[in-house]
Amino acid sequence: MRLFARLGGMDVPYRQIRAAYTDDSITVYQAYDAAIAGPAVAAQRFVAPFKRERMTWIKPSFLWMMYRCGWATKPGQERVLAVSLSREGFEWALAHSCLSHDDRRPGWAERVRRSPVRIQWDPERGVRHQALPYQSIQVGLSGEAVRRYVNEWTLAITDITDRVREVRAAVVARADVSGLLPVERPYPLPDEIQETIGV
């Protein structure tokens, strides 16, 4: 059964990946302190002190990232990075993922144990961090997935902190920010991946 929410007179699936993407790449977001963000932008890939041994979470939703990092104001999340990934890599991650919560399908515990990727769905957020009636995806990478993310999938890393601050100032001033936000469209996925990630 597919659930929908109403948004501006349109039906929005309860769970759907919405992202800025091209034929070859998809943009995801992460927020770090300057010690990690600076070297990553300079090298155009994640390098020390970024730790490959830890799970790293990528988010295709700009506004969910803004909610998570408080518009680049939370400690350790003062620099927001837009990471351009190959679509091939992103879809590999989804295909090798497991939901972080029990999906009530047989073998969930074993899938969690062996999967290098976790999927978590959370309420999407508006510009004032308000919860919206549909969900946004977070993708947690560990082990092999982190190695591939760093070595193979990352095409470019851009520091967008100045843009984030510009949008935040406009939000505080109660200005229309729609023209400042990335254009995110529903991301097309094969049926088998949709089933894997719980769409």
Side-chain angles (χ1 to χ4, degrees):
M1 179 179 178
R2 202 160 190 201
L3 301 176
F4 293 86
R6 296 292 289 176
L7 180 67
M10 298 175 59
D11 286 329
V12 177
Y14 183 60
R15 286 182 175 172
Q16 176 189 65
I17 297 177
R18 293 166 298 277
Y21 64 90
T22 68
D23 289 343
D24 304 310
S25 66
I26 178 172
T27 299
V28 297
Y29 302 96
Q30 294 192 279
Y32 290 106
D33 62 16
I36 292 177
V41 172
Q44 287 295 290
R45 68 186 185 93
F46 287 97
V47 295
F50 175 88
K51 297 189 185 314
R52 298 185 184 208
E53 301 78 24
R54 296 180 58 183
M55 180 168 282
T56 187
W57 290 87
I58 58 176
K59 305 160 183 68
S61 166
F62 176 80
L63 286 178
W64 207 96
M65 184 72 256
M66 296 308 99
Y67 164 72
R68 180 68 181 84
C69 71
W71 294 100
T73 62
K74 291 185 179 179
Q77 300 184 62
E78 301 93 346
R79 300 274 292 276
V80 180
L81 305 179
V83 183
S84 177
L85 295 186
S86 71
R87 286 180 60 172
E88 180 181 3
F90 182 69
E91 291 174 25
W92 184 97
L94 298 182
H96 291 80
S97 71
C98 180
L99 290 174
S100 58
H101 63 279
D102 190 345
D103 60 7
R104 303 186 185 280
R105 290 190 295 161
W108 173 80
E110 174 62 18
R111 291 197 310 276
V112 165
R113 188 188 65 76
R114 59 182 167 80
S115 173
V117 182
R118 298 281 187 280
I119 297 298
Q120 186 168 311
W121 292 96
D122 296 285
E124 180 62 286
R125 299 287 167 164
V127 295
R128 300 187 186 285
H129 301 330
Q130 73 273 23
L132 299 178
Y134 50 91
Q135 296 195 320
S136 183
I137 197 171
Q138 294 187 70
V139 183
L141 309 175
S142 66
E144 180 184 3
V146 172
R147 292 192 297 274
R148 288 174 177 259
Y149 177 59
V150 171
N151 296 332
E152 302 171 20
W153 303 343
T154 299
L155 305 176
I157 301 176
T158 305
D159 188 330
I160 61 167
T161 309
D162 288 344
R163 170 54 66 92
V164 167
R165 290 171 178 155
E166 178 187 357
V167 179
R168 179 176 182 268
V171 170
V172 170
R174 299 194 173 274
D176 179 8
V177 300
S178 55
L180 299 175
L181 300 176
V183 177
E184 296 175 352
R185 300 173 288 145
Y187 187 90
L189 289 171
D191 289 344
E192 59 270 21
I193 290 182
Q194 294 189 46
E195 183 177 357
T196 297
I197 66 174
V199 170

